[in-house]
Amino acid sequence: MYLEPEHTKSRITDFEFKELVVLPREIDLNEWLASNTTTFFHHINLQYSTISEFCTGETCQTMAVCNTQYYWYDERGKKVKCTAPQYVDFVMSSVQKLVTDEDVFPTKYGREFPSSFEALVKKICRHLFHVLGHIYWAHFKETLALELHGHLNTLYAHFILFTREFSLLDPKETAIMDDLTEVLCSSPTGGGSGDGASGGASGAQNHVKER
């Protein structure tokens, strides 16, 4: 349903996000990553909250996007099978803890970012991508009924273009949503590899992947 032209053309702005995501002159890269990552976290959390009452342990017994089922990994690296709302809660709680940690996301003058900062941002973006994918895959009908699909499309396009600009997401990770990405974020540089990955994903529709 989310790929139907009448829905994909819905946006809340026609602004060129490719220009918006570029690192401004004289702005530190880590500062730019921190600012945008925090903003995306809040917006995606807010977008999910609009359909959270429909995402329950009964309706979404696994954290699924298309043919892929995601598992949560705790601090000890233990694989945890959980429902979609539990997974999203784990994501939002862990990200909230990181973005409010002065040692990870410093806000005071003179504080430095940790050497592992980029890796942490990539991990955050990967989890936030899972949440966006689940909203599209399992709750687009409700989002449409609430007339919030324009907000969702705009948020998705902005997020994907930002992560592409700074190589924050592995193309293999996002291949599962390449069909939507191609429509919402079509660009001369992103089309070629996207098509190949999409073909691979569609060819495995009948096989459930676990991550």
Side-chain angles (χ1 to χ4, degrees):
M1 183 184 292
Y2 57 76
L3 289 173
E4 293 180 10
E6 63 180 304
H7 302 322
T8 57
K9 68 182 180 182
S10 181
R11 316 284 177 89
I12 60 172
T13 178
D14 292 327
F15 192 85
E16 183 55 69
F17 285 117
K18 292 176 186 177
E19 298 177 9
L20 186 65
V21 301
V22 175
L23 178 67
R25 291 182 179 180
E26 300 182 2
I27 296 294
D28 177 72
L29 174 60
N30 285 337
E31 289 282 1
W32 186 243
L33 292 179
S35 174
N36 281 274
T37 300
T38 302
T39 299
F40 282 125
F41 159 62
H42 289 304
H43 282 299
I44 293 173
N45 192 19
L46 182 62
Q47 187 78 46
Y48 176 78
S49 71
T50 65
I51 53 85
S52 59
E53 65 179 295
F54 307 108
C55 186
T56 68
E58 293 183 357
T59 60
C60 303
Q61 296 181 12
T62 61
M63 182 59 180
V65 178
C66 192
N67 61 324
T68 299
Q69 180 178 328
Y70 297 108
Y71 289 85
W72 182 254
Y73 290 84
D74 63 21
E75 295 179 352
R76 294 174 295 177
K78 184 179 179 181
K79 186 177 181 179
V80 181
K81 184 178 181 179
C82 51
T83 64
Q86 288 175 324
Y87 185 96
V88 174
D89 185 56
F90 285 146
V91 168
M92 299 308 174
S93 296
S94 65
V95 175
Q96 177 69 32
K97 185 177 179 180
L98 285 173
V99 299
T100 54
D101 187 340
E102 274 290 324
D103 292 329
V104 182
F105 280 71
T107 59
K108 298 177 182 177
Y109 180 76
R111 295 292 296 271
E112 295 186 356
F113 289 88
S115 58
S116 60
F117 184 69
E118 186 175 335
L120 287 171
V121 169
K122 288 181 177 180
K123 183 177 181 180
I124 290 172
C125 288
R126 180 164 56 86
H127 287 147
L128 292 179
F129 173 77
H130 295 168
V131 177
L132 281 174
H134 182 72
I135 295 174
Y136 272 108
W137 182 252
H139 302 290
F140 189 76
K141 183 178 179 181
E142 291 89 348
T143 301
L144 194 61
L146 292 168
E147 298 184 354
L148 292 174
H149 52 298
H151 290 76
L152 180 60
N153 287 342
T154 305
L155 176 57
Y156 182 86
H158 188 186
F159 177 74
I160 291 297
L161 288 171
F162 179 79
T163 59
R164 278 184 173 181
E165 178 70 17
F166 300 100
S167 302
L168 299 174
L169 285 172
D170 187 333
K172 293 179 181 178
E173 185 74 44
T174 58
I176 196 169
M177 296 292 287
D178 270 354
D179 47 4
L180 179 66
T181 300
E182 187 65 27
V183 175
L184 297 184
C185 313
S186 56
S187 66
T189 57
S193 61
D195 288 343
S198 179
S202 61
Q205 288 290 330
N206 296 323
H207 302 283
V208 176
K209 299 177 184 177
E210 296 184 353
R211 290 183 178 174

